[in-house]
Amino acid sequence: MSHPQSALDLFVSHRSALVSYASRITGNRVTAEDLVQEAWLRFDEASRGRFLDDATGYLYRIVRNLALDSRRRTTREPPVTVPPPEDDASLHAADTARNPETVNLYRDEYARVLAAMNELPERTRIALEMNRFGGAKLREIAAYLDISVALAHKLVAEGIEYCKERLERP
């Protein structure tokens, strides 16, 4: 299925900023290049020929998630939130509004949520990430995973419930 030219143009116009963003998270430009390519493939698959709402933000979230996963695989340090590129600050106003005290306060909890998400079955984790980090609607998740909307809802709900239970454990 052909992708709308506007989505491809969006990706091409943001590609270098996406690579820089991923590089700051991973500390490795070669890895960042690979992650941005993977992000495009996921974005292309998720959109399936239609332009998504806030497509730029969705691309950045995919890159961020992939970069954090890569970083977790290569280091034992807890993941840290990296500010988005300055030229796209308006897209990430909520991210940049956090102060250092808030980030430090929730860093451990954030690491625990990421650890819990990594324990989920792959399909459940993908559905939860797409919904909570990517802002994807249930029908978009269902299309991406090739499942029913009801099953997409169930996977997201199960993922949320598992993470809540995991956070309640000492």
Side-chain angles (χ1 to χ4, degrees):
M1 181 177 258
S2 103
H3 208 322
Q5 186 61 39
S6 59
L8 182 57
D9 288 342
L10 174 82
F11 176 74
V12 170
S13 69
H14 287 275
R15 187 182 179 287
S16 74
L18 289 164
V19 170
S20 295
Y21 182 47
S23 291
R24 286 196 307 268
I25 296 171
T26 64
N28 184 318
R29 186 147 183 100
V30 173
T31 300
E33 294 272 354
D34 291 341
L35 294 175
V36 169
Q37 183 62 36
E38 175 66 21
W40 166 251
L41 294 173
R42 289 184 184 200
F43 175 79
D44 185 47
E45 182 68 25
S47 62
R48 297 229 185 201
R50 63 187 178 278
F51 199 72
L52 302 173
D53 292 337
D54 190 19
T56 304
Y58 187 52
L59 271 171
Y60 274 93
R61 285 186 294 270
I62 293 170
V63 168
R64 179 179 179 274
N65 292 341
L66 290 171
L68 287 173
D69 284 346
S70 173
R71 180 184 165 118
R72 268 195 313 274
R73 282 190 304 270
T74 60
T75 182
R76 290 191 164 288
E77 295 175 18
V80 293
T81 304
V82 177
E86 292 174 20
D87 56 336
D88 291 314
S90 64
L91 294 171
H92 304 283
D95 286 343
T96 58
R98 293 187 295 235
N99 61 38
E101 293 82 19
T102 303
V103 170
N104 284 331
L105 179 65
Y106 292 106
R107 180 171 284 144
D108 290 338
E109 188 172 89
Y110 178 69
R112 291 177 63 205
V113 168
L114 291 177
M117 288 180 70
N118 283 333
E119 295 169 1
L120 292 170
E122 182 179 15
R123 196 167 64 165
T124 304
R125 181 184 55 78
I126 290 169
L128 184 58
E129 285 177 349
M130 285 180 72
N131 181 259
R132 294 301 172 165
F133 296 137
K137 294 175 176 42
L138 292 174
R139 63 180 161 70
E140 295 167 337
I141 296 166
Y144 178 76
L145 295 174
D146 197 25
I147 58 176
S148 69
V149 173
L151 182 53
H153 180 268
K154 180 181 178 191
L155 292 174
V156 171
E158 286 175 352
I160 291 169
E161 187 59 33
Y162 180 81
C163 288
K164 281 181 183 178
E165 289 172 6
R166 184 76 161 67
L167 284 174
E168 290 172 0
R169 291 186 224 154

